[in-house]
Amino acid sequence: MVGSGVSVAGRIGRLACVAGLALNLSACFRPLYGPTASGETVQALLASVQVDDVGMAQGQERLGHYLRSELIFELDGSGQPASKRYRLKLSGSEIVQTPIVSSTTGRAEAGTLVANIKYSLEDMAGTKVYSEGVATSTATYDRSVQRFASQRAARDAEIRLASVLADQIKTRLAAVLSTKP
C-alpha cells in the first residue's frame, strides 16, 4: 500500500475497534415487542388499555370517532375480552387549511387537515399518569367543483389522518408500557 498513508495494521486496528463498539452497543437495544420488564407481552399490555371517547370541538366529532375506532383496533384487534388496567383519555382539534386557491375561479383546489390530539395514559382510578403527550399529523386532499366528491375526499382524509394518529399514539404507548415494571 504505497502512497495510501495508512498501513494495513492501522486499518485492521480501526476495523477491530468498530467491530468492538458495534458488539458493545448491540446489548443496549431491546426490541419494542419483545419481553417487557414485567414479563408480560407488549400486546397484552396494549390490550389492557381502555380507550375513552375523544373530546373534540363541535363539528369535529367524526375525526374523534374514527380515531377512537382505529385506536381500539390498533391496541386490541383480537376481539377477545381483556381486563382493562389503563385508561386512555383523548382530546383534540382539527383545522382545515387551503394552501392552493385557483386564480380564475377563486376556489380552493386542495385542502389540508391538521389535527392535534392530546392523550393521557392513566390507571383506571385516574390517580397515576403513565404517559401524556400530543400527537400531530396532517392529511391533504383535492377539492373538486363537484360537492359530493369534495366531501368524500375530505372524509377519506379524516380516515387517513385518524389512522396515522392512532399509529403514533400506539407506538408511544408501547414504548412506555414496555419499560413499565
Side-chain angles (χ1 to χ4, degrees):
M1 297 262 159
V2 178
S4 66
V6 178
S7 69
V8 173
R11 288 184 181 183
I12 292 174
R14 287 182 186 167
L15 184 61
C17 181
V18 168
L21 286 173
L23 185 62
N24 285 336
L25 288 175
S26 69
C28 296
F29 297 105
R30 183 173 46 155
L32 179 61
Y33 291 101
T36 63
S38 65
E40 294 180 84
T41 64
V42 173
Q43 289 85 359
L45 290 171
L46 290 174
S48 67
V49 175
Q50 174 182 316
V51 182
D52 287 351
D53 289 335
V54 182
M56 299 291 287
Q58 187 174 4
Q60 300 175 355
E61 297 91 357
R62 189 171 50 230
L63 177 64
H65 169 74
Y66 292 143
L67 177 61
R68 183 171 185 268
S69 296
E70 288 286 335
L71 274 169
I72 289 172
F73 182 75
E74 289 278 334
L75 297 176
D76 184 23
S78 69
Q80 303 298 320
S83 62
K84 303 299 182 187
R85 292 185 280 174
Y86 308 101
R87 178 184 308 268
L88 182 62
K89 293 184 177 180
L90 302 156
S91 64
S93 64
E94 75 173 313
I95 59 171
V96 179
Q97 298 175 342
T98 54
I100 302 173
V101 178
S102 171
S103 60
T104 56
T105 63
R107 301 185 75 165
E109 294 180 354
T112 302
L113 293 175
V114 181
N116 295 309
I117 303 295
K118 292 183 216 172
Y119 67 92
S120 175
L121 181 67
E122 305 173 353
D123 61 357
M124 288 302 283
T127 57
K128 184 174 181 183
V129 176
Y130 295 104
S131 176
E132 58 186 356
V134 177
T136 303
S137 188
T138 61
T140 59
Y141 64 97
D142 290 331
R143 289 186 168 182
S144 171
V145 293
Q146 297 176 348
R147 192 169 133 203
F148 178 75
S150 291
Q151 287 179 345
R152 185 66 233 186
R155 185 169 291 179
D156 289 344
E158 283 181 330
I159 293 169
R160 288 192 320 269
L161 184 59
S163 179
V164 169
L165 289 167
D167 190 47
Q168 281 183 25
I169 293 170
K170 175 192 172 192
T171 303
R172 293 176 188 181
L173 295 181
V176 168
L177 292 175
S178 68
T179 59
K180 183 186 159 303

